[in-house]
Amino acid sequence: MNAVTIKDVAQAAGVSSATASRVLSGHPSTSAASREKVEAVARELGFVPNAQARSLRSTKTDTIALLISDVRNPYFSVLAHAIEQSAHEAGLMTFIGNANEDSAQQDQFLAAMLSRRVDGLIVVPQGLDQAAQRPSEMMSRIVASGTPMVFVDRTLRGIEIPSLTASSAHALEAAIAALTSLGHRRIAFIGGPDHASTARERHLAFDAALAANGLPSDPALHFAGDFKAGSGAQGARWLLAHPAAPTAVVIADAPMAIGALTVWREAGLKISRDLSVITFDEVDAMLMHDPPIATISHDLTLMGRAAVAALQAVMAGQNPERREFSSHFTQRESLGPAAASPGAMMEGMPTHE
Amino acid sequence: MNAVTIKDVAQAAGVSSATASRVLSGHPSTSAASREKVEAVARELGFVPNAQARSLRSTKTDTIALLISDVRNPYFSVLAHAIEQSAHEAGLMTFIGNANEDSAQQDQFLAAMLSRRVDGLIVVPQGLDQAAQRPSEMMSRIVASGTPMVFVDRTLRGIEIPSLTASSAHALEAAIAALTSLGHRRIAFIGGPDHASTARERHLAFDAALAANGLPSDPALHFAGDFKAGSGAQGARWLLAHPAAPTAVVIADAPMAIGALTVWREAGLKISRDLSVITFDEVDAMLMHDPPIATISHDLTLMGRAAVAALQAVMAGQNPERREFSSHFTQRESLGPAAASPGAMMEGMPTHE
DNA sequence: TTGTAAGCGTTATCAG
DNA sequence: CTGATAACGCTTACAA
């Protein structure tokens, strides 16, 4: 392995390890002579400082950890990329971990990170402890220990932590307005799992947008998914069999939308003519669809940058305020006029067994 | 912060720090009495061992690093997820880093990981050093230092490292056979960047598959993209304007396919009738497309598991053999008969300015 | 089984 | 500006 230590460098350069250390970590009190010699020798020997030892002494690691739900969800992979790039610019290394929407895995990752003494944590919290309906013990412990932490995307009930979240109100109002002006009255919602605050927020904002447009909110038009493609497909079948035959639908994330659109394509539905569709999350695949799907999106790059900035503020002892990021509605051809006669969309469609 | 050390635990439990250490790391030589007391105190005080100090002493970190090109590419996010899960089962923590197809960023990440003394590296190598056409200095240094490392997905010319790669020959032969039996003779290829070994392999296998089916390989039917959506769109426009009017196309990854399909949809092309399309990488969006797109895919979960296993073998001092994973062709409705008259596909299409 | 003490590779302190 | 030395938190001979 790489057994070359700072002592080896110092010896080869004919100086003490203290001087070598000063040169290698850019301390001002060094002579040009020793600087040159040490640097040359270090390069030649291929010296790689041992970050373990360094941070054991200096108690900082220049490393942060990012916990997300699932890298495979484009929403999170884009967010993760933004955070990593932003942290990188600030001289911070980022460790990314997956929780798979599971609070046990979340806690395991957090424990590992704590034991590695990362300087801070950016967390997409994974919901409440199922049994007790309260934040997990690990989460409470981190808060108690005072480790710098910020939440991004989601929040946790009962935990006061600086957080960067997305508000869907603005875009949803525009989206529902667009639908109602096209004559839609029965608008379904395929939502996320209730333990995720984003799922609750999107659902509440949906209902509020209905109200703002003079429509009642109807629990029978709500399908509870889990943010994954499979549940989107289930939601699509649920909608096809729905007695009220909704003429439009809003889907709470991209994987579910892709699952749903696949089912509707198989069923021979023509989006826009038979069903108007709006989905959360702007992913390229939505532009590939025929017709392209209208989206509600957030600026994840902005949110990611803000998360890093907020974490740095916390690390500096400040208390950054919560920030909510607005959403944007992009109208596309997936919106069409509501079908003239209720149930028209079911014409000529294969029956479901 | 978390200032509770093993000394605090030892003191509170009335034993020496050595005994506390033995208890906490499961050493057999401990009395039931001290075991109980130490464990109780540790829990009560919320003791979190300092991994830095531990591995400074024991020179192992139970941590591996994974370097990929871009988390936002589903191919890599799926691979990363598989590797992480598999490592997790083996008691290893995984640090994921992005190189963005850039060998400078790759080297920076590798340096950071080396300085953190990870036990091993799983790397999707980021191509040759542009100027010198040889592996980067960092890469050579790692090899020289003997740090356990395996390559996954790609290889690097001139570097002998255990590697897990994907072979496309099998699936491509089946794919081209399917196309030729439908009458296709002018089959285009939208490929990846030449510095990626996967791009070269896919291109070579494509040519070989043509030959196996009695078709000549024509450089004029090859478009060099960069594995990202934008170049897929460029490739799509290139194909639309192509004098030979290819009747089918194979695309070397999913992001490019999505970019290309978007352009073709905008141009009013009907996939299967006007153009037959096959893409590498199985992503859900391909099933959503109308018609669903035929794919050439690899079992990334299998490849990820094998990568972790191979790395463990290297860490154990063995020398695992290279392994190549076969590919699978999934025929779907995106394949149709070649247009009867050459140029038929251009009928009624908007001209490009 | 337990305690003492040395040491992992750095950086910080304090004289010189 | 430089060098000796202690200290970071933990593990592990070596003795007891």
Side-chain angles (χ1 to χ4, degrees), chain A residues 51-52 63 115-116 265 287, chain B residues 51-52 63 115-116 265 287:
Chain A
Q52 319 275 355
T63 302
S115 115
R116 275 170 183 81
R265 176 190 56 67
L287 283 167
Chain B
Q52 320 275 355
T63 301
S115 110
R116 275 168 184 83
R265 175 191 56 67
L287 283 167

Side-chain angles (χ1 to χ4, degrees), chain B:
Chain B
M1 286 288 296
N2 205 319
V4 40
T5 77
I6 200 170
K7 277 190 180 173
D8 302 324
V9 175
Q11 190 167 18
V15 298
S16 76
S17 62
T19 300
S21 169
R22 280 188 278 257
V23 169
L24 293 169
S25 47
H27 190 95
S29 296
T30 48
S31 71
S34 45
R35 227 173 302 150
E36 268 179 51
K37 232 188 298 187
V38 169
E39 271 162 8
V41 171
R43 196 171 15 251
E44 191 186 350
L45 265 51
F47 170 68
V48 178
N50 185 325
Q52 320 275 355
R54 188 203 299 262
S55 55
L56 182 57
R57 187 67 236 253
S58 56
T59 64
K60 63 191 284 281
T61 55
D62 291 325
T63 301
I64 65 173
L66 168 65
L67 181 84
I68 57 182
S69 299
D70 188 349
V71 254
R72 294 170 302 178
N73 183 332
Y75 182 86
F76 291 116
S77 65
V78 169
L79 181 62
H81 189 258
I83 287 175
E84 190 194 44
Q85 291 297 105
S86 179
H88 182 255
E89 284 164 23
L92 296 167
M93 181 84 222
T94 307
F95 295 150
I96 305 173
N98 280 283
N100 290 314
E101 301 282 356
D102 173 10
S103 87
Q105 279 199 53
Q106 160 190 275
D107 289 357
Q108 203 166 7
F109 178 80
L110 291 178
M113 288 301 115
L114 245 47
S115 110
R116 275 168 184 83
R117 298 294 191 271
V118 293
D119 292 342
L121 301 162
I122 299 181
V123 176
V124 177
Q126 301 301 307
L128 302 173
D129 188 278
Q130 304 294 15
Q133 281 295 304
R134 53 177 178 65
S136 73
E137 198 195 333
M138 176 61 61
M139 208 39 113
S140 317
R141 173 170 299 171
I142 292 174
V143 174
S145 80
T147 305
M149 171 164 71
V150 301
F151 285 164
V152 64
D153 186 54
R154 303 180 186 171
T155 57
L156 226 47
R157 263 195 285 240
I159 288 212
E160 288 302 316
I161 284 286
S163 58
L164 298 302
T165 53
S167 159
S168 315
H170 177 70
L172 267 170
E173 225 166 283
I176 301 298
L179 286 174
T180 52
S181 75
L182 285 164
H184 293 274
R185 292 294 174 272
R186 296 184 310 284
I187 308 172
F189 185 74
I190 297 181
D194 211 51
H195 64 75
S197 66
T198 37
R200 294 195 300 271
E201 191 269 338
R202 289 172 186 192
H203 190 192
L204 287 174
F206 174 78
D207 283 349
L210 288 181
N213 284 277
L215 289 176
S217 72
D218 179 357
L221 287 173
H222 174 253
F223 181 88
D226 64 4
F227 278 154
K228 296 179 193 166
S231 74
Q234 284 172 27
R237 283 186 281 268
W238 161 85
L239 188 142
L240 289 175
H242 200 285
T247 60
V249 62
V250 174
I251 308 174
D253 88 342
M256 292 198 297
I258 289 173
L261 288 164
T262 301
V263 167
W264 289 324
R265 175 191 56 67
E266 284 168 359
L269 225 62
K270 173 72 184 160
I271 301 303
S272 155
R273 187 196 62 192
D274 301 328
L275 179 69
S276 291
V277 176
I278 298 172
T279 183
F280 273 81
D281 301 355
E282 175 85 9
V283 303
D284 287 344
M286 296 306 160
L287 283 167
M288 173 187 83
H289 188 273
D290 182 25
I293 308 294
T295 57
I296 292 172
S297 57
H298 301 99
D299 188 335
L300 297 177
T301 303
L302 201 65
M303 200 159 84
R305 297 199 151 277
V308 173
L311 181 60
Q312 288 187 291
V314 175
M315 295 194 296
Q318 297 154 38
N319 192 358
E321 54 193 23
R322 278 169 191 255
R323 249 178 90 185
E324 229 184 21
F325 291 83
S326 182
S327 49
H328 182 70
F329 172 56
T330 306
Q331 175 143 10
R332 296 212 182 89
E333 292 89 323
S334 62
L335 303 195
S341 58
M345 58 173 276
M346 300 301 284
E347 266 170 34
M349 274 182 31
T351 51
H352 287 268
E353 298 139 30

